[in-house]
Amino acid sequence: MFIQDDNGTCYMRECRCRYDRQITNKLKSAKVPLDFIDATVSSFKTDIYKMQESQERAKTAKEVAIKYVNNYREFKDLGKGLYLFSETKGSGKTRLAVSILNALIKKYDIRGLYISSTDLLHEIKKTFDDSNHSAYEIIQQFTEAQLLVIDDFGVEKTTDWSEEMFTKILDDRMIRGRRLLLLTLKSINCQKKYRAGRIESRVEKMTFPVPLPDESVRSYLAQQENECIAEFIFSF
């Protein structure tokens, strides 16, 4: 768009709407879940948890997330991502992780990618019957993304093959100096799932552990949403 200053000089400035479209396209390319495409770290609610201990843990996790976003370049130089974990489903792991991904895409213009561990393995397996794509090509997209978010890591069915695939992805990312942001349903101890022991040491090397509350807030949020809808319906 053209801008004219007080002296009558015209110059061209990039339109804000163009930047917004570029960010939207990056978020879509990152495969950010639609439910969380507008999620931000600042809007991560800590008071929705019922237990005091859960609120304190959520506040700490939120503080870590904010510092990670604000100091991303320093964390990048250190070669550290984040490992968000909780013993409970619906504790806010995905919400917070995607908020971090959104923020890094918008603030640092990075290329990110979100995927669940089960879908990641499924994408690789699909190449077995696809003559147009190789497993290497699929794995490459997981190793080349500047930030890779693997959701529900450790929930997938574990086999020697799946352990080999994750080991290769972690190794490739470590060699390339790519950041990794992992989420898991259980604790950071991967030894029981991946018995060869290669996964756990790599996760510890590449990530900083961040515990989230062992309390589900998914039902609380659903209840709040339904109350808002009810208020809207019966306001007429």
Side-chain angles (χ1 to χ4, degrees):
M1 60 183 296
F2 283 99
I3 304 293
Q4 187 176 42
D5 61 20
D6 295 336
N7 297 321
T9 302
C10 294
Y11 59 94
M12 195 168 184
R13 177 187 295 172
E14 184 176 15
C15 179
R16 174 72 189 186
C17 59
R18 181 181 178 185
Y19 170 78
D20 291 340
R21 284 197 300 270
Q22 290 174 340
I23 291 298
T24 300
N25 290 335
K26 273 186 173 285
L27 292 173
K28 288 180 179 178
S29 297
K31 300 181 181 179
V32 171
L34 290 178
D35 287 347
F36 300 125
I37 201 161
D38 294 320
T40 63
V41 176
S42 60
S43 65
F44 181 75
K45 297 180 180 179
T46 60
D47 58 356
I48 195 171
Y49 297 90
K50 303 298 184 182
M51 296 183 291
Q52 182 65 31
E53 180 183 354
S54 296
Q55 290 185 9
E56 292 302 320
R57 186 176 288 188
K59 288 178 183 177
T60 300
K62 181 176 181 178
E63 183 178 353
V64 171
I66 291 172
K67 289 186 176 180
Y68 189 83
V69 171
N70 291 338
N71 301 280
Y72 173 69
R73 292 192 176 94
E74 286 77 5
F75 279 102
K76 180 181 178 182
D77 291 340
L78 291 171
K80 288 290 184 179
L82 299 178
Y83 189 104
L84 312 184
F85 65 93
S86 167
E87 297 285 343
T88 306
K89 294 180 179 179
S91 62
K93 298 184 298 296
T94 300
R95 164 67 169 76
L96 186 58
V98 174
S99 296
I100 295 171
L101 175 61
N102 288 346
L104 294 178
I105 289 174
K106 294 174 182 178
K107 188 171 184 176
Y108 300 99
D109 197 29
I110 69 165
R111 288 180 294 102
L113 181 62
Y114 167 93
I115 192 168
S116 71
S117 60
T118 302
D119 286 344
L120 185 153
L121 295 174
H122 180 65
E123 288 293 318
I124 298 174
K125 286 180 179 178
K126 283 198 306 184
T127 63
F128 298 166
D129 300 318
D130 186 354
S131 59
N132 296 319
H133 298 91
S134 67
Y136 172 78
E137 291 175 318
I138 300 300
I139 292 174
Q140 198 172 29
Q141 70 172 316
F142 301 133
T143 59
E144 290 187 349
Q146 290 174 288
L147 185 73
L148 176 64
V149 179
I150 304 179
D151 203 358
D152 287 337
F153 186 72
V155 175
E156 73 286 343
K157 183 179 179 180
T158 307
T159 62
D160 290 342
W161 176 81
S162 65
E163 183 167 3
E164 180 184 349
M165 291 299 100
F166 281 124
T167 299
K168 177 169 178 52
I169 291 171
L170 295 180
D171 277 345
D172 286 353
R173 292 191 66 81
M174 193 181 301
I175 292 171
R176 293 168 181 259
R178 300 296 192 190
R179 303 289 67 74
L180 187 69
L181 198 153
L182 296 176
L183 296 90
T184 183
L185 188 62
K186 299 297 183 182
S187 69
I188 196 170
N189 184 4
C190 305
Q191 190 68 46
K192 293 180 181 179
K193 286 288 292 185
Y194 301 105
R195 299 189 181 278
R198 296 177 294 176
I199 299 293
E200 185 173 18
S201 62
R202 286 161 175 78
V203 169
E204 289 178 345
K205 171 68 176 175
M206 300 174 69
T207 61
F208 178 80
V210 182
L212 268 84
D214 293 324
E215 179 183 349
S216 176
V217 293
R218 191 173 292 159
S219 58
Y220 306 156
L221 292 171
Q223 183 178 354
Q224 284 186 351
E225 290 171 357
N226 288 338
E227 287 174 355
C228 290
I229 292 174
E231 183 179 348
F232 172 75
I233 291 174
F234 295 109
S235 64
F236 297 99

